[in-house]
């Protein structure tokens, strides 16, 4: 079955590319879980190994996605969990936005904004995040002249989605249950 506005061969080619992209992601074996949190898009020098949190510290993550994402080990665990569910695009987008906000050079900022847009925002993007049309339109308007806040609305929407949907699943997961023992 093919959508009426697409030819079957185009549709099948597009689906094959999507599947190839997902398989490529699965076949990559990072050196350690810390590699899951390397900021997008460049790979800087390897950060120091993340220290496993105490069970008390990990318990705080149940009620605060912000604390979870601020903790290197927590972010790596959360990313790994989402990857196991094939739903890592939201946390990857959030990390990309955090990296983007640290960019000082206007030229670099424009370059990163374009990459984030192409990877996460545009329709049919390889890792398209689920944002409403209004948020997408505001984000696109913001990208005419990229600034530190260009992705703020979209990032807040994705944070809320992770807080409401992904965090409760993570807290019930074996990944998390092992941390609080």
């Amino acid at each position: 079955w093919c959508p009426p506005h697409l030819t079957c061969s185009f549709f099948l080619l597009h689906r094959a590319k999507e599947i190839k992209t997902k398989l490529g992601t699965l076949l990559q074996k990072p050196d350690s879980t810390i590699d899951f949190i390397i900021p997008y898009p460049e790979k800087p020098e390897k950060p120091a190994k993340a220290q496993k949190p105490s069970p008390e510290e990990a318990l705080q993550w149940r009620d605060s996605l912000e604390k979870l994402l601020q903790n290197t080990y927590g972010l790596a665990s959360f990313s790994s969990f989402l990857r196991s569910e094939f739903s890592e695009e939201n946390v990857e987008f959030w990390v990309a936005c955090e990296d983007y906000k640290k960019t000082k050079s206007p030229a670099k900022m424009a370059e990163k904004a374009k990459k984030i847009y192409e990877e996460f925002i545009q329709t049919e993007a390889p890792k398209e995040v689920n944002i409403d049309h209004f948020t997408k339109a505001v984000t696109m308007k913001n990208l005419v002249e990229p600034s530190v806040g260009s992705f703020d609305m979209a990032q807040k929407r994705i944070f809320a989605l992770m807080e409401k949907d992904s965090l409760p699943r993570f807290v019930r997961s074996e990944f998390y249950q092992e941390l609080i023992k």
Side-chain angles (χ1 to χ4, degrees):
W1 177 88
C2 296
H5 64 286
L6 298 175
T7 64
C8 276
S9 59
F10 176 81
F11 179 74
L12 292 174
L13 180 64
H14 180 73
R15 290 292 298 147
K17 284 181 181 177
E18 285 180 355
I19 291 168
K20 183 180 175 189
T21 301
K22 289 199 186 240
L23 283 174
T25 303
L26 288 173
L27 293 174
Q28 292 175 358
K29 291 185 179 167
D31 297 336
S32 68
T33 55
I34 198 70
D35 288 343
F36 290 139
I37 61 156
I38 301 298
Y40 173 93
E42 300 104 16
K43 187 173 179 177
E45 65 282 347
K46 234 181 186 177
K49 285 270 185 208
Q51 191 163 356
K52 188 174 180 178
S54 67
E56 293 76 26
E57 187 178 1
L59 274 170
Q60 295 176 5
W61 300 344
R62 284 189 305 203
D63 305 316
S64 176
L65 179 59
E66 194 169 325
K67 283 184 181 176
L68 169 67
L69 296 174
Q70 287 172 353
N71 181 287
T72 307
Y73 197 95
L75 176 57
S77 299
F78 188 57
S79 297
S80 188
F81 166 73
L82 292 176
R83 194 168 286 105
S84 76
E85 292 195 331
F86 305 100
S87 63
E88 68 271 17
E89 66 281 348
N90 289 338
V91 75
E92 288 179 7
F93 172 70
W94 186 87
V95 168
C97 290
E98 289 299 296
D99 177 59
Y100 172 81
K101 288 184 212 176
K102 295 173 190 163
T103 307
K104 303 289 184 230
S105 154
K108 272 280 192 203
M109 187 173 276
E111 183 184 313
K112 285 184 178 186
K114 182 179 188 293
K115 286 181 180 179
I116 291 171
Y117 173 77
E118 289 173 351
E119 187 164 359
F120 299 102
I121 305 290
Q122 78 181 8
T123 304
E124 301 294 321
K127 298 178 180 181
E128 186 177 2
V129 291
N130 186 10
I131 54 173
D132 58 90
H133 292 291
F134 177 74
T135 303
K136 188 178 277 196
V138 168
T139 303
M140 288 169 61
K141 185 175 173 230
N142 291 345
L143 294 179
V144 172
E145 289 184 39
S147 71
V148 174
S150 292
F151 294 100
D152 283 357
M153 180 184 272
Q155 188 183 20
K156 284 178 182 149
R157 296 272 198 266
I158 293 304
F159 183 91
L161 186 64
M162 289 191 300
E163 194 170 46
K164 188 181 94 181
D165 184 49
S166 306
L167 182 61
R169 287 197 323 273
F170 174 68
V171 167
R172 291 189 302 267
S173 74
E174 284 181 35
F175 283 85
Y176 182 75
Q177 294 303 316
E178 286 299 314
L179 289 173
I180 58 172
K181 284 184 179 176

